Amino acid sequence: MAKVIVVGGGAAGLVAAWRAASLGHAVSLLEANGRLGVKLRISGGGKCNITHDGPPKALMTAFPMDQARFLRPSLHAFDNRAVLDLLHREGVETYTRDNGRVFPLDRPGSAAAVVAAFETLAHRAGVDVRTGARATALEGRVPRLAALRVGEERFTADVFILATGGASYPETGTRGEVLGWLKQLGVPVKAWFPALAPIPMTRPRPTWEGVALRGGELRLSAGIAGRRLGVFAGDIVFTKTGVSGPAALELSQAAERARRDGAAWLAYAATLEPPETVDTSIQSEARGNPRLLAATWLQRHLPERLVDPLLEEAGIGRALMLKDLSKAARKTLVGLATALPLGEPQPVPLARGEVAAGGVELAAVDPRTMALRGWENLRICGELLDIDGPVGGYNLQAAFSTGYVAGSV
Ligand SMILES: Cc1cc2nc3c(=O)[nH]c(=O)nc-3n(C[C@H](O)[C@H](O)[C@H](O)COP(=O)(O)OP(=O)(O)OC[C@H]3O[C@@H](n4cnc5c(N)ncnc54)[C@H](O)[C@@H]3O)c2cc1C
């Protein structure tokens, strides 16, 4: 029997602690907050998108290639079925949405029910849970961690499992400081980087707050006429300061990289037809329906609330008919539908991301055990690793799977 200390009582730490205790080890779980699973409780807007449906291979392909390769052994060891079986046994019923996302049945506090299930499992396995215990330092040097400090208190163990999460939503306890301590110990790390966050824009449209653009794609390029850097099919929604919604979240990391590289530009294609095709169809429509207003045509592609201000900015009169548009005005109209300019992003805030990219470099960790290479008694799991999947239940699944193998001491 080993003495195991797990630091961080979120998705990964709860599973790691439960697993290690189930294997007969003496496990203490240290959590900075007054209660466990604070980020889990707010996940999925309080509904908690626990995981994603499908075979492990399909789950893996949602992640960038190096992360997928790293996750293969742990996703096989503790896959989405295993997570759901465990929760079902604890009385948490789940359902799968058409898009493959798995949630607990819609009830008030459904995310809290997921936390409660993991808490029960940990308690039943004999985990000694200490809340209000923020680790303040790591002591030791390669190849052994000698101790962990919580203020004046010093904890020793045969195995330390670090599951302290990322660096977004610091109010949930994840301040990211452990990454800095590991760096000082010589562990290879990548600095935290914003991901899955709303994108503030240089020219926000506060009066459009709440308006959504649907059914098209968000495009990122290196400057207004620059190379295409990324594209994501999905909706966006205007916020007071910029854009949010699925496509904005998914492109936020690339947008921030492009911005730091010197040039980033976002546009939304409400129609995916090439501009030339749209132009031709406008002309034939103008012939067939000579009284059709430019504004009415644009409303087919963009929400009504946006049409008047956009036409005004473009200098196209509200009463102008399609047939009377100059060539230049027609081109402008086509541009609004095929690539509505949103402009340059502002710095994407690390704190508002659903995950933080960066973390302990995957090459430094054994993917079968989450043991830090070169260290005898140190394991890393969850978002503290350099893993950031897309929205859809992937990040929690990665935390559960890596937590499980880390706890398999
Ligand atoms: C708003 C929001 C919604 C999300 N929705 C979803 C979703 O629906 N589906 C999905 O798959 N993913 C979602 N995510 C992402 C997901 O919640 C995380 O990827 C996941 O929680 C990571 O698990 P973790 O255990 O590594 O970290 P966490 O769950 O963040 O747990 C880390 C824990 O470590 C503790 N800790 C940190 N530092 C210390 C320290 N020094 N000492 C002691 N304890 C410490 C923290 O207090 C925290 O409780 C969402 C994230 C956010 C912010």
Side-chain angles (χ1 to χ4, degrees):
M1 186 174 86
K3 187 174 164 195
V4 178
I5 288 186
V6 180
V7 192
L14 273 163
V15 170
W18 157 73
R19 172 69 176 157
S22 318
L23 293 174
H25 301 298
V27 182
S28 296
L29 174 60
L30 309 183
E31 165 55 49
N33 293 320
R35 59 182 186 163
L36 297 169
V38 169
K39 195 174 270 181
L40 257 171
R41 289 171 203 271
I42 60 159
S43 65
K47 293 187 173 190
C48 187
N49 179 191
I50 310 162
T51 184
H52 203 92
D53 195 27
K57 200 168 172 197
L59 262 62
M60 264 175 248
T61 54
F63 290 85
M65 207 137 46
D66 58 327
Q67 299 183 19
R69 212 174 305 122
F70 178 85
L71 285 169
R72 182 182 299 156
S74 57
L75 274 176
H76 278 287
F78 193 59
D79 65 8
N80 45 5
R81 286 262 47 99
V83 172
L84 295 178
D85 285 350
L86 198 62
L87 289 171
H88 294 162
R89 284 203 297 276
E90 292 305 313
V92 179
E93 295 172 78
T94 60
Y95 74 103
T96 305
R97 290 190 183 166
D98 290 346
N99 59 9
R101 298 179 186 186
V102 186
F103 289 82
L105 277 192
D106 274 335
R107 293 194 181 120
S110 53
V114 174
V115 180
F118 282 117
E119 248 181 302
T120 305
L121 283 161
H123 282 298
R124 207 185 295 136
V127 175
D128 163 36
V129 176
R130 304 204 187 176
T131 51
R134 176 167 283 279
T136 47
L138 301 176
E139 289 178 4
R141 65 180 130 124
V142 75
R144 281 192 78 75
L145 197 67
L148 180 145
R149 279 197 176 274
V150 176
E152 292 303 302
E153 230 180 325
R154 192 169 179 271
F155 292 82
T156 58
D158 300 311
V159 180
F160 291 93
I161 301 176
L162 304 184
T164 49
S168 70
Y169 280 74
E171 65 275 22
T172 66
T174 46
R175 301 180 193 160
E177 74 276 34
V178 175
L179 195 66
W181 304 343
L182 288 169
K183 190 176 176 193
Q184 278 168 14
L185 292 175
V187 175
V189 305
K190 281 191 196 159
W192 296 121
F193 197 89
L196 297 186
I199 308 175
M201 301 299 297
T202 301
R203 189 190 167 198
R205 304 278 202 163
T207 54
W208 294 357
E209 189 183 5
V211 176
L213 302 182
R214 299 184 196 282
E217 62 186 32
L218 183 63
R219 294 174 182 164
L220 170 70
S221 52
I224 188 164
R227 196 162 54 85
R228 178 81 60 84
L229 297 173
V231 58
F232 195 91
D235 305 348
I236 63 166
V237 53
F238 289 94
T239 65
K240 233 186 213 52
T241 54
V243 288
S244 188
L249 296 194
E250 298 290 356
L251 273 191
S252 59
Q253 187 179 159
E256 177 60 10
R257 271 189 215 292
R259 196 194 64 79
R260 291 190 194 182
D261 287 347
W265 182 266
L266 287 168
Y268 194 83
T271 168
L272 301 185
E273 293 199 271
E276 306 73 44
T277 314
V278 176
D279 191 33
T280 312
S281 84
I282 286 192
Q283 291 181 61
S284 71
E285 199 148 0
R287 283 192 297 273
N289 186 358
R291 304 199 63 77
L292 186 67
L293 298 177
T296 312
W297 180 87
L298 194 56
Q299 270 174 36
R300 290 185 198 158
H301 299 287
L302 294 174
E304 199 178 339
R305 214 168 118 195
L306 272 49
V307 167
D308 279 355
L310 284 172
L311 288 180
E312 196 182 325
E313 279 171 30
I316 299 176
R318 182 78 183 77
L320 208 62
M321 291 174 210
L322 270 194
K323 71 172 171 52
D324 297 329
L325 288 179
S326 67
K327 195 171 170 195
R330 206 176 63 229
K331 195 168 167 221
T332 303
L333 197 67
V334 171
L336 294 175
T338 57
L340 177 69
L342 303 171
E344 290 176 18
Q346 287 274 304
V348 176
L350 176 65
R352 296 334 294 163
E354 287 206 3
V355 287
V360 173
E361 284 195 21
L362 301 183
V365 178
D366 181 340
R368 288 158 307 166
T369 60
M370 301 300 142
L372 203 49
R373 295 187 199 281
W375 290 77
E376 292 166 359
N377 64 344
L378 191 48
R379 295 179 176 215
I380 314 285
C381 57
E383 209 183 313
L384 181 57
L385 292 163
D386 180 20
I387 289 177
D388 58 295
V391 170
Y394 299 101
N395 289 300
L396 281 176
Q397 181 62 49
F400 296 141
S401 295
T402 56
Y404 182 87
V405 295
S408 303
V409 175

